Amino acid sequence: MYTPGEKAGVMGIFLAFGSGVSYAFYVLYYTKSGLSRLDPYKLSLYLSVLSVAGFFGRRGGGTDDSSHAVGRALTVGFSFMVSVLATVFFQMGARLVGPEKASLLSTFEPLTSVLAGTAFFGEKLTGKSLCGIACILCGVFLLAVGRQKKYVSPFC
């Protein structure tokens, strides 16, 4: 989120926009291309290999030697959870409920991240975070209610 007094970099805005567009493309392409018939673990392996190649290509082939072994182990474990498990679970969910519902449900990810940070890591829950959570919940509610045939939204 934007912090008053800080300069918003054009590259950051571009990367955030590109992230959203590429995620939307991934969700739609996954179900429409036949990739959903591929074993989720195999597809996760392919995506992870591409991610590792991108990571080492960006870093010039090396890692930071100043970090400790425990930090490296925790990084590998965390990376496994947020990339491999998340990717496999998303693919399985998209196969079961469809791309629209899967992408809708995945909008709760920032909400759970903020709440987990508050609960487990002692991060402060600011008004800005609460406003973001409220916007996410309102957006999901409007999308869910707007899809019902019987309901006519006063906003549209």
Side-chain angles (χ1 to χ4, degrees):
M1 291 188 162
Y2 171 72
T3 301
E6 289 185 9
K7 184 180 174 186
V10 175
M11 184 56 127
I13 293 169
F14 176 74
L15 290 172
F17 181 75
S19 172
V21 169
S22 63
Y23 176 72
F25 175 77
Y26 165 70
V27 171
L28 293 174
Y29 186 77
Y30 172 72
T31 54
K32 303 296 182 195
S33 68
L35 284 176
S36 60
R37 292 188 299 272
L38 188 64
D39 181 42
Y41 295 104
K42 188 181 288 187
L43 183 57
S44 180
L45 172 71
Y46 296 149
L47 291 172
S48 296
V49 167
L50 289 173
S51 297
V52 167
F55 172 77
F56 283 114
R58 173 88 168 109
R59 294 187 50 99
T63 59
D64 185 6
D65 292 331
S66 64
S67 62
H68 299 288
V70 173
R72 289 181 192 164
L74 290 173
T75 300
V76 168
F78 184 73
S79 298
F80 177 78
M81 286 178 11
V82 300
S83 62
V84 175
L85 290 181
T87 302
V88 168
F89 289 157
F90 179 80
Q91 293 165 7
M92 294 167 86
R95 186 186 302 171
L96 293 173
V97 300
E100 295 86 10
K101 290 180 183 175
S103 62
L104 182 66
L105 290 171
S106 70
T107 59
F108 286 110
E109 185 271 330
L111 181 144
T112 56
S113 296
V114 169
L115 295 179
T118 302
F120 300 117
F121 301 114
E123 295 178 1
K124 291 184 179 181
L125 190 60
T126 64
K128 190 168 34 173
S129 298
L130 290 172
C131 180
I133 289 171
C135 287
I136 290 170
L137 292 175
C138 286
V140 170
F141 174 76
L142 289 173
L143 285 172
V145 170
R147 291 179 184 220
Q148 295 177 358
K149 302 289 184 196
K150 297 177 187 174
Y151 179 78
V152 177
S153 174
F155 302 110
C156 299

